[in-house]
Amino acid sequence: MKTSSVRRFLAVGILSGLGVLLGVGTLLGEGTLSGVKDLSGEPPARAQAAEDTAWFELEGDLAAVWQLTPGQAANTLRIVPRPTSAAEAELGAEALVVFAKRSSAYGIAMNRILKVFGRRKIQISWTLSNSEGELSNATRELRAVERGHYDLVFAMGSDATAWLHQRLEGSATPVVSVCSKDPVLMGLIEDYEGGSGSNFAFTSLNVPVDVQLAYLRTLRPSLSQIALVYTRSNTSTVLTQVDPMVERAEAEGIEIHRVEVLDQDLAREELDWKVQRAVYRMRRQDPDGESSV
């Protein structure tokens, strides 16, 4: 493959499940770009069964721009551009996307990224790695990053972002977070003004708590109660959304009713009675619901 002196990357964020283009940058460097061969330097993994590839699908007309095939390792996929000329077939960079787990939100984000890269006609091939909730499953791909085989890495989800930050901060490979929570509240950067000062470009799903409260007060000027529904096992949600909202709301005299799911597999059953209990408690103080959300 040919050598490129420019690595191009797009920082793509997802806000409330919708793709939002956050930034475009250019990283200068020299490196040999690899093709579709095994990048890890390790023995080939087993062939994938059909069910291993069902966790991600190309949306709409993206199949006319990109080709999706099973990867060499379990729970990995390859996405390569469909060349329109022989010259394009010889050019391209390599990107890795580490999924913390399978998720429809992550699928939306990945398709949005592919749309942006396709529209800009950036010749790049992708390896998607689905960790299925156990990020050590991505160790094989991580070793390939450390060997310099990837030009760009996307961390899909807060868990993947934190895991890769521990292992790749300061490396030569740029890493972009997607569908991740507030990096300041996660302790990954110090503030919102200074940037990371490293190879990491962070995006955030979070809307600042003061903005949320201002919006809620637009809906309910006499706001006095808020019910928060969340899963306790989602650590990043509790850390960056639930706890900050509780602290700010209670400081402003707003009562918080926690509706906490303890077992995600039984979420429907838990919420059936926990939501009813929260509504009952809120209506004791606000019968008409005019001051409650």
Side-chain angles (χ1 to χ4, degrees):
M1 303 297 291
K2 293 185 178 180
T3 298
S4 173
S5 62
V6 180
R7 295 174 178 177
R8 308 188 64 177
F9 71 92
L10 299 177
V12 179
I14 304 303
L15 180 60
S16 300
L18 299 177
V20 179
L21 182 62
L22 296 182
V24 181
T26 300
L27 295 181
L28 299 181
E30 292 288 340
T32 300
L33 304 180
S34 52
V36 297
K37 62 183 179 181
D38 180 13
L39 299 175
S40 68
E42 298 182 0
R46 67 171 177 82
Q48 292 198 74
E51 58 269 18
D52 290 338
T53 66
W55 52 273
F56 176 76
E57 295 181 355
L58 295 173
E59 295 178 352
D61 58 358
L62 284 177
V65 181
W66 303 96
Q67 181 178 5
L68 175 66
T69 59
Q72 293 190 344
N75 287 319
T76 63
L77 300 174
R78 285 286 297 172
I79 300 177
V80 298
R82 295 185 183 275
T84 57
S85 69
E88 286 187 358
E90 295 178 0
L91 297 173
E94 282 286 340
L96 170 68
V97 186
V98 178
F99 284 64
K101 59 185 177 182
R102 67 177 68 196
S103 163
S104 59
Y106 297 168
I108 292 171
M110 188 66 228
N111 275 283
R112 171 62 177 174
I113 292 170
L114 291 171
K115 287 179 183 178
V116 173
F117 274 79
R119 186 167 62 245
R120 292 177 177 269
K121 300 186 183 303
I122 298 173
Q123 289 296 299
I124 187 168
S125 298
W126 307 82
T127 296
L128 277 55
S129 174
N130 176 15
S131 301
E132 289 290 13
E134 183 54 63
L135 283 157
S136 61
N137 291 334
T139 299
R140 186 171 185 269
E141 285 69 38
L142 178 65
R143 289 173 180 165
V145 176
E146 293 170 342
R147 293 187 181 98
H149 292 298
Y150 289 107
D151 303 285
L152 175 64
V153 176
F154 284 89
M156 191 70 75
S158 297
D159 289 343
T161 299
W163 188 78
L164 288 171
H165 188 260
Q166 289 179 345
R167 292 158 177 81
L168 293 180
E169 184 187 22
S171 75
T173 306
V175 183
V176 182
S177 71
V178 183
C179 282
S180 187
K181 303 299 194 308
D182 189 315
V184 173
L185 296 178
M186 288 177 65
L188 302 178
I189 55 176
E190 293 184 1
D191 54 52
Y192 302 106
E193 291 77 30
S196 69
S198 72
N199 58 313
F200 271 74
F202 294 103
T203 63
S204 176
L205 287 169
N206 296 74
V207 176
V209 169
D210 55 346
V211 175
Q212 294 183 53
L213 284 175
Y215 176 74
L216 293 177
R217 284 200 168 99
T218 300
L219 298 175
R220 293 284 188 268
S222 59
L223 182 66
S224 63
Q225 299 182 98
I226 299 174
L228 296 179
V229 184
Y230 61 96
T231 303
R232 185 171 67 177
S233 61
N234 193 330
T235 305
S236 63
T237 293
V238 175
L239 177 66
T240 68
Q241 295 179 295
V242 176
D243 289 349
M245 176 60 79
V246 171
E247 181 179 358
R248 177 63 65 87
E250 290 183 343
E252 297 186 15
I254 299 172
E255 184 177 359
I256 295 294
H257 298 267
R258 293 176 178 262
V259 182
E260 186 177 69
V261 174
L262 302 180
D263 186 342
Q264 194 157 342
D265 292 334
L266 300 174
R268 185 181 297 275
E269 290 81 358
E270 283 192 49
L271 290 174
D272 185 49
W273 65 270
K274 288 185 176 180
V275 169
Q276 291 186 49
R277 183 179 63 180
V279 170
Y280 172 77
R281 290 176 175 175
M282 296 172 80
R283 285 190 170 174
R284 288 173 61 184
Q285 301 180 50
D286 180 24
D288 297 327
E290 293 298 320
S291 301
S292 305
V293 175

